[in-house]
Amino acid sequence: MKKTLLACIAALSVGAAWADYPEKPVTIVVPFAAGGPTDKVARDLAEALRKPLNATIVIENVGGAGGTLGATKVSKASPDGYTLLLHHIGMATSPSLYRNLQYKTLDDFEYLGLINEVPMTIISRPTLPASSYADLAKWIEGNKGKINLANAGLGSASHLCGLLYQSTLKTDMTTVPYKGTGPAMTDLIGGQVDIMCDQTTNTTSQIESGKVKAFAVTTPKRLGGGLAKLPTLEEAGLKGFNVTIWHGLYAPKGTPKPVLEKINNALKTALKDADFHKREEALGAVIVTDARVNPADHKKFVEAEINKWGPVIKAAGQYAD
Ligand code: ASP
């Protein structure tokens, strides 16, 4: 009886200690450089999250090593709700790629919910002599051994897509890693690299303004809007090619439950924000439905993605220390 009462008081005081959260700015770590697609999603989300969370939100870009440096930083941050991580599919591909990952994906984070799903596009420098997917395929065939493929490092979405693309075509390209596809895009536009596969959240405006050439989408269905004319890779003859990138929000393991609940509730509200929807949908992203914005389903989904991509990555023989 006495014990139960003490436990109740303890639980109440823990809850009370966090009742005023957030009392200072909340940092969202983006594990890629500024100006890229993950950064764009984070900045758009921050805008929508500010009101429901009642906090100033600061974006911190910690790029490098395919997103694993930023994820490592958050896994070791104080579990107080003031440092969060917004990461993509790399959360699920890096455990198969890095032999010495500094965190355990399923054990070292609190899962707060999925955010969106984003298709990818195969794009090239504007000077590449091809104007259709068939032209691109011929150009790749005729330039074996000379092609540079930009990506955001081992474990990034662009790496995963490029890996699948090369293995489906049975071609090896020279990969050029960046801290994010924001800076990679600058070099692609400038013609320093030839090809990239990247999220529509980064490529749509560059395609529409003619700064890069676009040849195909990586999803099973064609996209709408200005990108509707692009064939799917499946239509272009690459059977079963399907890469969709998703983003999720995480906190360090041990963040108090009342804080996690506040963030999750704020995330649910932010994902219904009309302006956020408008901005994301214009760039080809689909916001996830309420039912998937919960910690348990988010974690289950990441686990399934680890199991889905592990064998694919293993078959490609890729890994890093
Ligand atoms: N799109 C990048 C990737 O390939 C990352 C980024 O800069 O957002 O993973």
Side-chain angles (χ1 to χ4, degrees), residues 30-40 66 87-90 120 151-153 155-160 179-183 196-199 201-202 245 247:
V30 170
F32 296 103
T38 313
D39 181 64
K40 278 191 192 117
H87 202 349
H88 65 17
I89 195 169
M120 299 189 94
N151 71 20
S156 64
S158 44
H159 169 251
L160 176 69
K179 283 191 173 173
T181 46
M196 181 159 77
C197 178
D198 201 22
Q199 287 104 304
T201 33
N202 196 31
I245 304 310
H247 296 89

Side-chain angles (χ1 to χ4, degrees), residues 20-134:
D20 293 332
Y21 171 87
E23 296 179 287
K24 58 180 186 176
V26 172
T27 296
I28 297 183
V29 171
V30 170
F32 296 103
T38 313
D39 181 64
K40 278 191 192 117
V41 170
R43 285 175 200 273
D44 276 355
L45 181 71
E47 192 82 13
L49 203 52
R50 191 174 305 136
K51 239 192 191 166
L53 194 57
N54 193 24
T56 300
I57 296 172
V58 178
I59 302 294
E60 184 185 351
N61 297 90
V62 184
T68 59
L69 296 186
T72 300
K73 178 167 181 165
V74 176
S75 72
K76 309 211 177 315
S78 171
D80 54 12
Y82 292 105
T83 309
L84 308 177
L85 171 72
L86 191 150
H87 202 349
H88 65 17
I89 195 169
M91 214 49 188
T93 55
S94 49
S96 306
L97 283 162
Y98 287 84
R99 289 190 292 204
N100 291 314
L101 208 55
Q102 299 297 301
Y103 55 85
K104 290 197 180 74
T105 306
L106 295 172
D107 298 336
D108 292 349
F109 295 93
E110 303 287 353
Y111 286 64
L112 287 157
L114 287 165
I115 299 165
N116 64 6
E117 290 181 328
V118 193
M120 299 189 94
T121 43
I122 303 282
I123 57 174
S124 80
R125 59 179 159 87
T127 49
L128 195 136
S131 51
S132 66
Y133 185 79

Side-chain angles (χ1 to χ4, degrees), residues 168-232:
T168 311
L169 294 182
K170 299 191 174 45
T171 304
D172 278 334
M173 301 182 190
T174 305
T175 49
V176 184
Y178 293 81
K179 283 191 173 173
T181 46
M185 179 66 89
T186 306
D187 276 8
L188 191 73
I189 292 170
Q192 282 93 319
V193 282
D194 299 311
I195 296 179
M196 181 159 77
C197 178
D198 201 22
Q199 287 104 304
T200 55
T201 33
N202 196 31
T203 64
T204 302
S205 56
Q206 312 294 3
I207 295 169
E208 287 177 349
S209 63
K211 287 190 178 148
V212 296
K213 287 186 176 179
F215 300 98
V217 294
T218 63
T219 42
K221 276 193 188 155
R222 281 192 183 216
L223 307 178
L227 303 186
K229 58 183 181 303
L230 295 179
T232 65

Side-chain angles (χ1 to χ4, degrees), residues 41 44 116 201 276-285 287:
V41 170
D44 276 355
N116 64 6
T201 33
F276 181 57
H277 268 258
K278 228 203 241 155
R279 282 197 296 269
E280 289 289 291
E281 281 158 14
L283 298 176
I287 312 288

